[in-house]
Amino acid sequence: MDTNFNKLKITLNKEFVCREIEDTFIVINLSTGYFYMLNETGRYIFNAIKDGQTSEEILKDILKKYDSSEEEIRSDVSKLLNYFINERIFV
């Protein structure tokens, strides 16, 4: 992974809340009004981070669920984790 999330303690930024509306998982920035809609996998990763799982734990769980290569899943998980950090959803 690009950043070693196994050694970082990250938490949900207090400016963000998450809501499930029908089948859509939404993360809302209360300061700006911007929101992010996550698919099922994005929701799983978001909740796993919020619950304190490491990137390797998340990767192992997703590898069990999907029929893709470890390299592809590792890259996708890393991109989403970095996106969450860059958008300051998790700090």
Side-chain angles (χ1 to χ4, degrees):
M1 304 221 164
D2 296 338
T3 304
N4 190 345
F5 291 96
N6 287 323
K7 296 185 180 185
L8 293 177
K9 176 66 177 160
I10 59 175
T11 58
L12 181 62
N13 185 331
K14 293 179 187 208
E15 296 179 358
F16 287 83
V17 295
C18 53
R19 297 288 181 262
E20 189 163 349
I21 301 171
E22 296 182 14
D23 292 335
T24 305
F25 190 78
I26 300 171
V27 179
I28 306 163
N29 182 324
L30 297 174
S31 296
T32 65
Y34 291 143
F35 64 93
Y36 307 82
M37 295 185 343
L38 302 177
N39 64 17
E40 179 183 340
T41 305
R43 177 175 68 183
Y44 170 79
I45 293 170
F46 178 91
N47 285 326
I49 296 167
K50 199 169 74 162
D51 293 342
Q53 287 190 6
T54 67
S55 57
E56 287 301 313
E57 291 170 329
I58 294 168
L59 177 66
K60 286 178 187 177
D61 286 346
I62 292 176
L63 280 168
K64 292 176 191 174
K65 293 181 181 186
Y66 296 98
D67 186 28
S68 293
S69 72
E70 180 176 341
E71 181 178 299
E72 183 178 355
I73 291 174
R74 183 177 294 277
S75 173
D76 290 346
V77 169
S78 180
K79 285 177 190 173
L80 186 56
L81 290 171
N82 281 304
Y83 182 77
F84 286 156
I85 295 293
N86 290 336
E87 292 293 309
R88 306 225 12 100
I89 296 170
F90 286 95
V91 293

